[in-house]
Every structure is written in C-alpha cells, then in structure tokens.
C-alpha cells in the first residue's frame, strides 16, 4: 500500500518536472506554450458545462425519485456473486456510452459513498482506466463509412469489463 | 446516444417519483443538479488548464518523436499488416502518444486521419480491416499517463489524496489493454474471410 501510494504521489510531480526540464533544455518558450495550452483547457472545460447540467439533472432525478435505488436493489443479488458493489453498476453501464454522463454519475457515486471510501476509489479507477467505447467506435467507423464491424464491439467491451473487474479487485486486495 | 438516454432518465424518474410521492425530493434535485454542474466545472477548470498547459509544452519538444520511436516494436506486433507502411504507422503512433499524454483534443483528429489512411489500403471498403480493428480497440483502452479528469473530480470533492488512484489506474488500464489486444487478435482470426 505504501509503495503504491509512493508511486501514485510521485507521478504528477515527476511528469511536470520532467516536461519543464525537457522544454528548457530544448529552448522551448515554456511559459508561453503553457499559457497557450491552458487557454485551450478553459474552452474544453466550459464546452462540457451544458452537457453536465443536463446529465446532472438526469442522474439527480434518477436518484431522488428512487429509481436508482430500485435498479441497484434489483441487480445486487447477481452482482454479489461477483463481489461487485451494486452502487457502481450505473457507472459500469454508462461509462462506455457517454463521457459526460459517466462524469456525472461517478461524481454522484463518489459524493454519496465518500470520495476516499472503497467505493469512491473503485469508481475513480474505473473512470480512469476505461473509455467511452461506443462513442469512439461510432466516430472512427462512421468517418470512413464502414458497414461491417466484425464483432469489434465485443472485443472493446471485453477490455472495458476487464478494466472494471480489475479496478474492483485491486482495491479489495490493497 | 444521449438523445435516447436523457429523455428516458427524465421521463422514468419523474413518473416514478411523482407516483411514489417524492415531489419535494425531485424539486430539490433539480436545483442541486444545476449547482453541482456549475461547481464541478469551476473546480475542474484549474486542473484541466494546468494539464492542458503542461502537455502543450510537450507538443513543442522532440519528446513526441522520441516516444514514437519507442513505440515502433510494439506497433509491429499490433499491426503486422502495416510493417512496411511508415506513413500510417506514424499517424497511429502520434494518436497513441497523444492519448498517453492526455491530449484528447489532438488525439481524435489524428486518429481519424489514421483511419482514413488505413481505409485507402483496405481491400474491402465496407468491412473493418485487421489494422483498423486493433487501432480502434487501442483507442478505447484509455492508456493515459495521468488520469487528469478523475483527479480533478476527486480534488473537487475534497479527497485527502486525489492522486492515490494513479498507480491502481495504470494497472487496470494495462491489464484491460492487454486483454483487449489478445481478444482482438482472436476475433480477427475468427472473422477472417467473413464477408
């Protein structure tokens, strides 16, 4: 656990240090380029704001109406067999479909369970280790007008499910 | 996709909530949701700008071309059909490097370019080629050095250690990617010659 924390905590400072050092040795205008990128960051963040409002509303009413609890209760006997917390089920389902929806639902889960709780940690790891698979497949195949996709969905979703299972196992063994 | 999910969530929730007498809870969550979205966006803003800035420095250095060289042997294993095609291999590796560094905005256009180049080489334009399948699966594997969005969310929720998930995330991503690659190799073999 301590070793893992050590590497986790070292990652960000090391990356920033290395990149700035690399920039300086190659005589890149480090700060100008930092600003240029940071401005892009503003655009990216605010461009997802409308989507987030809509999806926080959808997830919010899903929880407050009792529908979410109902679904969680229904699925918990099956998920218990796999030792998978049923609170994470909505995230596992929405994650491959939409990036913003999974941000909304992951935030909701972390808030409810506690961000540093076991469930909060697993939710974070699922978010970090999987992608919006359906969306990615859709844009990459539609741009070149492919009609037959040869079970790629199966392959990609298996990878996602593996990511979700490993995220769960990792935190249960730490 | 969200055009389907959003109305389903709203309609089911309101019908269920009103019929079970949770009107007050519904009202509260309507106001909460807008506030939550605004709060999260503002709290994401700092971390997102910081990393976009840092990664923009990378894009001006020779680091990217060095990483591309490093990837070459892995690429030959993943894309045996493209061994001789330097142009496509370069486009693919630029996309992968952009993904690893978390340059999402740059990664997608690069990926689309690679897909178009692969389509030119594709013998049957209606069916995904072997290389395209592998390329898409790698793109859905989310191989990222620093999972910035999650860290930003954790930070906004007041986590004691927002970074604690980095190492577990690496492990989960890498195992998922390896499984994805081998499943894809298997599916490619299985569907070979299917029209």
């Amino acid at each position: 656990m301590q070793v893992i924390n050590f590497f986790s905590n070292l990652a960000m400072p090391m990356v920033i240090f290395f990149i700035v050092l690399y920039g300086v040795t190659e005589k890149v205008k480090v700060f100008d380029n930092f600003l240029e990128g940071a401005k892009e960051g503003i655009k990216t963040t605010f461009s997802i704001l409308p989507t987030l409002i809509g999806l926080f509303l959808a997830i919010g009413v899903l929880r407050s109406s009792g529908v979410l609890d109902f679904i969680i209760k229904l699925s918990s006997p099956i998920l218990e067999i796999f030792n998978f917390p049923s609170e994470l089920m909505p995230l596992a389902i929405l994650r491959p479909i939409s990036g913003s929806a999974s941000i909304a639902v992951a935030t909701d889960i972390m808030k409810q369970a506690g961000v540093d709780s076991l469930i909060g940690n697993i939710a974070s790891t699922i978010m970090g280790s999987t992608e919006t698979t359906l969306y990615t497949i859709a844009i990459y195949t539609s741009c070149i007008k492919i009609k037959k996709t040869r079970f790629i969905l199966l392959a990609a979703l298996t990878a996602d499910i593996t990511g979700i299972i490993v995220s769960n196992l990792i935190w249960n063994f730490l | 996709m969200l055009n389907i999910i959003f109305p389903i969530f709203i309609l089911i929730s309101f019908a269920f909530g009103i019929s079970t007498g949770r009107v007050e809870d519904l009202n509260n969550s309507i106001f909460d949701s807008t506030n939550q979205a605004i709060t999260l966006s503002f709290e994401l803003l700092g971390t997102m700008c910081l990393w976009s800035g840092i990664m923009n420095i990378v894009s001006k250095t020779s680091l990217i071309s060095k990483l591309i060289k490093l990837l070459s042997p892995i690429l030959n294993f993943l894309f045996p059909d493209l061994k001789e095609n330097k142009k496509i291999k370069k486009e693919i590796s630029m996309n992968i490097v952009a993904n690893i560094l978390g340059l999402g905005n740059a990664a997608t256009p690069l990926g689309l370019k690679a897909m178009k180049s692969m389509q030119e080489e594709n013998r049957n334009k209606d069916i995904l080629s072997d290389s395209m399948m592998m390329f898409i699966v790698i793109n859905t594997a989310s191989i990222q050095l620093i999972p910035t969005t999650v860290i930003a969310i954790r930070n906004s929720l007041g986590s004691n250690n927002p970074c604690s998930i980095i190492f577990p995330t690496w492990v989960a991503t890498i195992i998922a990617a390896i499984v994805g690659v081998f499943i894809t190799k298997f599916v490619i073999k299985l569907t070979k010659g299917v029209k």
Side-chain angles (χ1 to χ4, degrees):
Chain A
M1 188 72 201
Q2 261 173 352
V3 180
I4 289 166
N5 257 332
F6 176 75
F7 279 115
S8 291
N9 287 330
L10 203 61
M12 254 174 32
M14 279 301 281
V15 168
I16 297 178
F17 174 80
F18 186 68
I19 288 171
V20 172
L21 181 72
Y22 210 89
V24 172
T25 46
E26 290 201 350
K27 299 202 173 67
V28 171
K29 282 189 180 147
V30 175
F31 196 64
D32 282 352
N33 283 304
F34 172 78
L35 290 184
E36 196 187 291
K39 273 179 203 153
E40 280 299 307
I42 300 179
K43 261 193 243 161
T44 323
T45 312
F46 280 123
S47 66
I48 62 163
L49 176 61
T51 324
L52 280 184
I53 292 179
L55 292 167
F56 267 111
L57 174 70
I59 307 286
V61 292
L62 207 61
R63 175 177 296 285
S64 66
S65 64
V67 174
L68 203 58
D69 288 334
F70 185 70
I71 297 172
I72 288 171
K73 221 183 243 166
L74 273 186
S75 62
S76 65
I78 310 161
L79 295 173
E80 254 167 38
I81 305 171
F82 300 101
N83 200 13
F84 187 79
S86 46
E87 291 92 330
L88 295 169
M89 222 265 301
L91 177 63
I93 292 174
L94 284 175
R95 180 62 188 148
I97 300 171
S98 154
S100 332
S102 50
I103 288 182
V105 78
T107 311
D108 185 66
I109 291 170
M110 286 184 225
K111 213 172 167 185
Q112 296 289 328
V115 58
D116 291 318
S117 68
L118 176 66
I119 287 176
N121 284 331
I122 300 173
S124 309
T125 310
I126 292 176
M127 272 302 280
S129 64
T130 52
E131 249 300 325
T132 48
T133 301
L134 295 183
Y135 173 77
T136 309
I137 293 177
I139 53 163
Y140 279 169
T141 53
S142 65
C143 78
I144 51 168
K145 303 189 182 65
I146 287 283
K147 293 194 187 85
K148 292 194 176 135
T149 53
R150 294 172 67 189
F151 297 103
I152 188 160
L153 194 61
L154 180 88
L157 285 180
T158 312
D160 276 347
I161 292 168
T162 311
I164 292 171
I165 293 171
V166 175
S167 304
N168 183 40
L169 286 179
I170 265 186
W171 285 103
N172 276 302
F173 278 106
L174 281 182
Chain B
M1 205 59 161
L2 290 177
N3 282 324
I4 305 167
I5 297 175
F6 182 76
I8 290 180
F9 279 18
I10 298 281
L11 295 177
I12 292 180
S13 303
F14 279 84
F16 192 92
I18 292 169
S19 59
T20 52
R22 300 196 190 200
V23 183
E24 209 169 300
D25 293 334
L26 282 176
N27 272 324
N28 286 335
S29 71
I30 292 170
F31 292 120
D32 273 354
S33 61
T34 50
N35 288 340
Q36 239 182 331
I38 299 284
T39 316
L40 183 67
S41 293
F42 268 97
E43 274 161 338
L44 286 179
L45 192 60
T47 319
M48 297 310 258
C49 287
L50 173 73
W51 284 102
S52 304
I54 294 288
M55 290 312 172
N56 195 51
I57 301 173
V58 179
S59 64
K60 304 288 187 243
T61 65
S62 66
L63 203 60
I64 290 189
S65 55
K66 279 191 183 138
L67 285 171
I68 290 173
K69 252 188 211 139
L70 223 67
L71 277 177
S72 182
I74 305 171
L75 244 55
N76 287 338
F77 168 73
L78 294 175
F79 304 97
D81 296 347
L82 301 176
K83 244 181 196 145
E84 308 304 325
N85 198 323
K86 286 218 169 81
K87 182 189 159 236
I88 299 184
K89 264 174 63 183
K90 188 166 183 214
E91 287 171 0
I92 291 177
S93 42
M94 278 171 78
N95 163 274
I96 295 177
V97 169
N99 272 322
I100 293 175
L101 296 176
L103 300 159
N105 290 337
T108 311
L110 286 169
L112 294 175
K113 211 168 138 199
M115 283 299 283
K116 278 181 186 142
S117 308
M118 279 186 270
Q119 178 72 324
E120 277 164 27
E121 306 283 313
N122 195 2
R123 266 174 252 131
N124 188 335
K125 309 279 182 216
D126 287 341
I127 306 179
L128 280 179
S129 69
D130 299 355
S131 310
M132 290 176 181
M133 288 184 74
M134 188 55 83
F135 180 67
I136 293 178
V137 168
I138 291 184
N139 260 279
T140 63
S142 175
I143 309 165
Q144 203 180 343
L145 190 57
I146 309 280
T148 39
T149 312
V150 192
I151 293 174
I153 296 174
R154 291 173 62 80
N155 185 37
S156 83
L157 292 174
S159 166
N160 291 327
N161 189 351
C163 294
S164 65
I165 54 117
I166 294 180
F167 188 79
T169 303
W170 287 343
V171 175
T173 310
I174 289 167
I175 295 178
I178 292 172
V179 169
V181 164
F182 282 100
I183 296 266
T184 310
K185 289 238 170 209
F186 181 69
V187 171
I188 286 173
K189 256 190 197 150
L190 214 66
T191 57
K192 202 107 201 166
V194 176
K195 298 233 162 72

